[in-house]
Amino acid sequence: MGAYLLAMTCQAGFFLSSGVASGWLTKALGLSSLAGGAVVGTGAYAYAIAARAGLEPSGCVAVAALAGCCVGAVLAVTRGRVEGSDFALATYCGQMVWLGVVANASALTGGALGLSAIPGIELAGLARSGVAVVLLGALCTLAALVCHVGERGWFWTGAAVVRRSAELADTLGVDRLRIELQVGAIYGGTLALSGAVMASYLSFVGVSSFDASVSIAILALGYLGAAGGLGGTAAATLLVVVFPEFVRLAGMSSARSGYLRLLLSGVVVAAYAMWRHVSHREMAQR
Amino acid sequence: MTAVLVLVLCQAAMIGLVAIAVRQQYALLGGYDLTLAAVIAVAAESVVYATGFSGGAWGLLCALLIAWCVSTVGMYLWNIAMTGTAVRRDGGLVFVVSLGVNSAITGLIGLVRGPGTLASGVLVPRVHFAELEVAGILVIGIVLAAIATTLFVLWRRTSAGVGVALLEQDARFAQELGVEPARLCLPAAAAVGGVASAVGVYQGLANGASPEGGAAIAMYGIGAAFLVEGRGVLGAIIGGVVFAVILVGSQLFVSASMAPSILFAITLTLVLARGTSRMQQGVR
């Protein structure tokens, strides 16, 4: 029971940190990314490949963060070409392409079987689960802090201008590309780090762990995070991640529990998108 | 070689049908509608359960009718919800909302009947035609697609169909002429439901039913609808043929597991190449 609760805490921490970052992307640039699973997976695979190649854990984490920052920055810059639902559509396609490429690049990623026996991060003699809980807690705090600080001052004003209109940003001399790169790097870096910590904890990465349902869950958490801050993300994590896991204690299979998570994520995504639409309309009417 | 051609023809018909449905929903709601994936999955589930009771021609006909009714009711409720809440034509929210609804329905199906693929109880024999011998299910697929396309084209000649065609070409002008999207919800749902249920029935018979079964073909349909823009039903079918050739070609010459990714990469390229941001559209 204790081990199960610890595993669930790790999973909740993983989704919470990812949700905070996803909410940051939605709030800062108004983007709905459906490539969350791919970004988390990039971090996890980068960590796993580097660790199996013999790199020190700190180096592996740095590699994962760098890979995530690059992917996140590319995603955010894509906003210059596609916006709104087309951005969501493009990132969904990107997620599916990523899954296919990772599943077929067997030499590097282990293909459908994934990579196992990944060396873990060591911290003050703690067990793997303890290290994961500490690191994910630190990551959540750090991500929330960065987002909180980021939502103050010139940066947030600049992001609001960019979110409103790229031409307005150009007219006002706001460096649009820099803001998009920064927001994307924070988003990608946080997701990739949470993926790396999970890879270290589980000592295994497989392509099925980062499918489209993970992206939809991360988007749902991000949506509630954008609406209600850290509290919103935490509440959404309890609803979308922890509740389906608890139902397993009542005898539900893990596959059905996954479907329950997908069902709740879908309801949150649809409800938030409708609510945002209605609130924006009311704001415009005022 | 001939068997491959028949397979391409069948896949083209299915992707083309979905592309037709995608365009129709785009005309009505102003966005790419992923609830089609849920409709296809539900139709596939219906056919698997219905043919479980009776596997003959009557069972198949009943399955088709049940799938069509379920699809029509589902699409009608969805169209009413979207046109009623004015999400339609505003900020392109249709894709995100429909993605949420599709995920919820997929989750619900998986929760109720469990994971995995359920095969239909129908065993379709191989068909001999002149000197050809092809899988009977492909013939059923092509015939279903031909009937669905013909009925859809005939429906486009009715007043409701012309209304949707006008919305597709110029929504503002159509509304000036008195075409109200809310009034078209039921006939459009029946037409799209028919097309999507034909795809779902084929999917259920050929590949079995799984909760996630409709998502891939719905996305291929969106890609095919992107490929040739502004040519109505014909453009959708051309897009379907191109996607089917690439899909079957990738499965034969690259890798079966890589083929979907190639189609998704093409769709991604099309989305990025088209560009929808204000900067790209040059709106000043």
Side-chain angles (χ1 to χ4, degrees), chain A residues 35-258:
Chain A
V39 182
V40 170
T42 301
Y45 272 103
Y47 175 86
I49 293 164
R52 280 163 58 100
L55 209 65
E56 286 293 308
S58 54
C60 300
V61 170
V63 168
L66 189 66
C69 287
C70 292
V71 175
V74 169
L75 278 178
V77 169
T78 308
R79 184 183 176 277
R81 282 208 74 84
V82 284
E83 282 183 338
S85 72
D86 280 349
F87 181 83
L89 179 60
T91 50
Y92 185 80
C93 290
Q95 163 80 40
M96 302 313 279
V97 172
W98 183 89
L99 284 174
V101 170
V102 170
N104 283 278
S106 306
L108 190 67
T109 62
L113 296 176
L115 297 172
S116 54
I118 301 166
I121 301 168
E122 288 176 7
L123 195 72
L126 286 170
R128 277 191 186 227
S129 53
V131 174
V133 169
V134 170
L135 289 180
L136 286 168
L139 186 61
C140 286
T141 314
L142 188 68
L145 200 66
V146 168
C147 296
H148 183 72
V149 171
E151 288 173 24
R152 304 276 178 278
W154 68 269
F155 179 80
W156 198 245
T157 313
V161 172
V162 173
R163 190 171 64 239
R164 175 89 181 165
S165 159
E167 296 126 328
L168 184 63
D170 290 346
T171 309
L172 294 175
V174 175
D175 194 344
R176 181 171 57 88
L177 190 65
R178 203 175 101 189
I179 287 175
E180 285 174 351
L181 284 173
Q182 284 176 340
V183 172
I186 290 171
Y187 164 76
T190 310
L191 256 63
L193 282 176
S194 58
V197 174
M198 281 307 273
S200 153
Y201 163 55
L202 298 170
S203 77
F204 168 77
V205 285
V207 71
S208 59
S209 311
F210 310 109
D211 61 6
S213 70
V214 173
S215 297
I216 294 166
I218 292 173
L219 179 69
L221 302 186
Y223 271 175
L224 287 195
L230 186 60
T233 316
T237 307
L238 285 176
L239 176 71
V240 172
V241 181
V242 177
F243 173 64
E245 287 296 322
F246 256 119
V247 177
R248 282 178 65 187
L249 291 175
M252 184 182 270
S253 67
S254 65
R256 276 202 158 95
S257 159

Side-chain angles (χ1 to χ4, degrees), chain A residues 32 34 78-86 88-94 96-97 99-101 104 164-167 170 176 216 219 223 252-253 255-257 259-260 262-263 266-267 269-270 273-274 276-277 281, chain B residues 32 82 85-87 90 92-93 95-97 99-101 103-104 106-108 110-115 211-212 215 219 222 226 255 257-258 261 264-265 267-268 271-280 283-284:
Chain A
S32 302
L34 282 164
T78 308
R79 184 183 176 277
R81 282 208 74 84
V82 284
E83 282 183 338
S85 72
D86 280 349
L89 179 60
T91 50
Y92 185 80
C93 290
M96 302 313 279
V97 172
L99 284 174
V101 170
N104 283 278
R164 175 89 181 165
S165 159
E167 296 126 328
D170 290 346
R176 181 171 57 88
I216 294 166
L219 179 69
Y223 271 175
M252 184 182 270
S253 67
R256 276 202 158 95
S257 159
Y259 281 120
L260 180 59
L262 185 62
L263 167 65
V267 169
V269 167
M274 299 278 282
R276 188 174 64 169
H277 165 79
R281 265 171 64 93
Chain B
Y32 291 102
M82 285 296 99
T85 51
V87 166
D90 192 353
L93 274 175
F95 178 75
V96 178
V97 178
L99 174 89
V101 171
S103 304
T106 304
L108 188 63
L111 196 61
V112 171
R113 54 77 113 183
E212 305 86 354
M219 289 300 295
I222 290 177
F226 256 115
S255 147
S257 60
M258 199 62 197
S261 294
F264 280 115
T267 307
L268 175 61
V271 176
L272 291 177
R274 195 180 68 157
T276 50
S277 73
R278 283 163 59 85
M279 290 289 278
Q280 286 303 317
V283 179
R284 292 288 182 270

